[in-house]
Amino acid sequence: MLDAIGTTIFTVMSALATRHGAINLGQGFPDTDGPQDVIDAAAAALRDGRNQYPPLTGVAELREAVAAANQRFYGITVDPATEVVVTSGATEAITACLMALLNPGDEAVLIEPLYDTYLPVVRMLGATARLVRLDPPDWQLPRAALEAAFGPKTKLLLLNSPMNPTGKVFSADDLAFIADLLARHDCYAVCDEVYEHLIFDGLKHTPLMSLPGMRERCLRIGSAGKTFSLTGWKIGYVTAPARLATLVARAHQNLTFTTPPNLQRAVALGLAKDDAYFAGLSTDLAAKRDILAAGLRDIGFIVLPSSGSYFITTDFTPLGFEGDDVAFCRHITEHAGVAAIPVSAFYPADAPTHYARFAFCKRESVLRDAIDRLRRHFAARQAAE
């Protein structure tokens, strides 16, 4: 089963970018470190004699900070002692939540395009995935198809909002429709909300957990890596009702057991930062999104809307490239010096093959350099034709 999964496309394209000296706009990581005070807090915490195993569910400081952030941003009241579990990154959090809920024979509803860890974990747990597809360019939720995916064996829906790779932020109407389905079918939702603070154009993130009747049905996942531009720290956190948090903790116990205590304590400091920091995240990233989108559009790409996350999706059909999205992304990495991710990697089968995902969580100078490289390359190709 694992052999069939293969190496993740992010690893493949990042290695190809390194080999060719390309600007990596494929994998979603910033090229600058996060807040200096958070980094300093992590360094200081290494020296104060608390370097042995922390509590299984996370240090008290971080669990309390996660609970406070839920209340502060979304009005969700959380018991830090029983309803928060700290994990080694959001990918582990997703896996632990799925382990906590899925038994062999259960069904899980997944929305395509989807992050590449979702489907393999569902299958490894002996569950069956029911896939519902959002179609470009507007990525509207197909309500009839979603409703049809639910049945007597459905245990959960995995919801990613803001969504990778589409940049979609699910609307209040979407969320209300989903909440009604969960209540009618007595199901849970695993909510991957790692981009919760990276949202643009005046929109606001609304956790499904905050809707009426959803508090006991939702497991909400956050990520310090995305919120503080420290993706290598791998600090994730799950907020869940106590009876489910206990099961998540048991899964975590058998995956990584604990997470570095100094990093946890630093993230606790970060979550208490003032509102200006969190507002600044969105403002800064929206400006970078606009720079990259305008540059790619000028070159000839069709740029799809992105309301959140690190990513924009583009249609490269107008450029006249003969080949699918995997070939296109390899081509621009090797010949233009810019790496992107083929969007077909986010589908298990029958994927669209003319879309490429670019990450804009880079310095402005890097984005402009990438645009210039692509412009020169495609101008030369056009001249040669």
Side-chain angles (χ1 to χ4, degrees):
M1 184 181 293
L2 290 171
D3 186 59
I5 294 170
T7 303
T8 173
I9 189 66
F10 309 108
T11 299
V12 171
M13 294 308 300
S14 289
L16 192 66
T18 299
R19 192 177 314 136
H20 291 276
I23 295 172
N24 191 351
L25 301 188
Q27 196 165 11
F29 61 87
D31 57 359
T32 56
D33 274 347
Q36 190 61 49
D37 58 346
V38 175
I39 295 170
D40 289 344
L46 280 171
R47 299 186 176 92
D48 69 359
R50 292 176 58 185
N51 290 301
Q52 307 311 319
Y53 292 128
L56 169 66
T57 55
V59 300
E61 295 97 319
L62 181 51
R63 285 183 282 115
E64 290 167 2
V66 171
N70 272 288
Q71 183 66 55
R72 170 186 174 190
F73 292 110
Y74 310 118
I76 300 172
T77 301
V78 175
D79 182 349
T82 63
E83 296 187 314
V84 177
V85 180
V86 178
T87 60
S88 293
T91 299
E92 193 218 335
I94 293 162
T95 301
C97 288
L98 294 175
M99 289 175 67
L101 293 175
L102 290 175
N103 294 311
D106 285 342
E107 294 182 358
V109 178
L110 308 182
I111 298 175
E112 299 177 299
L114 47 84
Y115 181 55
D116 67 345
T117 197
Y118 296 168
L119 188 57
V121 173
V122 168
R123 287 174 172 169
M124 283 191 288
L125 293 171
T128 298
R130 298 298 180 198
L131 300 174
V132 177
R133 179 169 294 197
L134 308 186
D135 291 321
D138 54 8
W139 310 112
Q140 290 298 308
L141 183 67
R143 296 189 178 185
L146 183 63
E147 186 168 13
F150 280 75
K153 294 183 179 180
T154 306
K155 178 65 75 67
L156 63 86
L157 165 76
L158 207 169
L159 180 67
N160 179 208
S161 182
M163 191 179 184
N164 174 20
T166 68
K168 176 182 174 66
V169 174
F170 284 79
S171 69
D173 285 345
D174 287 339
L175 295 176
F177 182 80
I178 290 168
D180 178 67
L181 283 175
L182 295 176
R184 279 196 279 134
H185 291 274
D186 193 21
C187 298
Y188 299 101
V190 174
C191 302
D192 178 356
E193 301 179 16
V194 298
Y195 299 104
E196 61 184 317
H197 295 294
L198 313 181
I199 199 164
F200 320 126
D201 305 326
L203 298 177
K204 182 180 179 182
H205 176 63
T206 301
L208 185 62
M209 179 180 270
S210 68
L211 270 62
M214 291 295 105
R215 179 67 174 80
E216 296 302 310
R217 295 188 180 277
C218 293
L219 298 85
R220 197 175 90 77
I221 296 165
S223 166
K226 300 302 190 295
T227 300
F228 301 108
S229 300
L230 295 164
T231 58
W233 281 20
K234 298 300 293 177
I235 304 292
Y237 23 86
V238 179
T239 301
R243 64 192 179 88
L244 300 181
T246 297
L247 299 177
V248 172
R250 289 176 185 169
H252 171 58
Q253 171 181 288
N254 288 286
L255 290 168
T256 61
F257 183 59
T258 61
T259 299
N262 67 309
L263 301 182
Q264 292 191 52
R265 290 158 61 198
V267 170
L269 180 147
L271 286 173
K273 290 176 78 67
D274 61 25
D275 291 349
Y277 170 77
F278 295 94
L281 280 175
S282 296
T283 302
D284 178 64
L285 275 172
K288 293 177 177 180
R289 175 203 60 177
D290 293 346
I291 289 168
L292 183 59
L296 293 175
R297 197 174 290 116
D298 183 61
I299 293 165
F301 290 85
I302 297 171
V303 179
L304 278 61
S306 172
S307 299
S309 80
Y310 281 158
F311 310 111
I312 49 175
T313 299
T314 64
D315 181 348
F316 57 83
T317 304
L319 298 174
F321 181 83
E322 295 183 0
D324 64 12
D325 57 345
V326 175
F328 178 83
C329 289
R330 283 189 169 274
H331 175 84
I332 62 172
T333 302
E334 295 171 353
H335 299 287
V338 178
I341 296 293
V343 170
S344 62
F346 298 89
Y347 297 83
D350 301 320
T353 59
H354 53 284
Y355 293 96
R357 189 198 78 173
F358 291 85
F360 50 81
C361 50
K362 312 293 180 179
R363 287 168 291 156
E364 181 179 335
S365 60
V366 171
L367 296 175
R368 294 193 184 281
D369 187 8
I371 293 165
D372 288 343
R373 291 185 184 196
L374 289 167
R375 181 182 291 113
R376 289 194 300 269
H377 173 73
F378 285 106
R381 275 176 58 91
Q382 189 174 23
E385 294 171 356

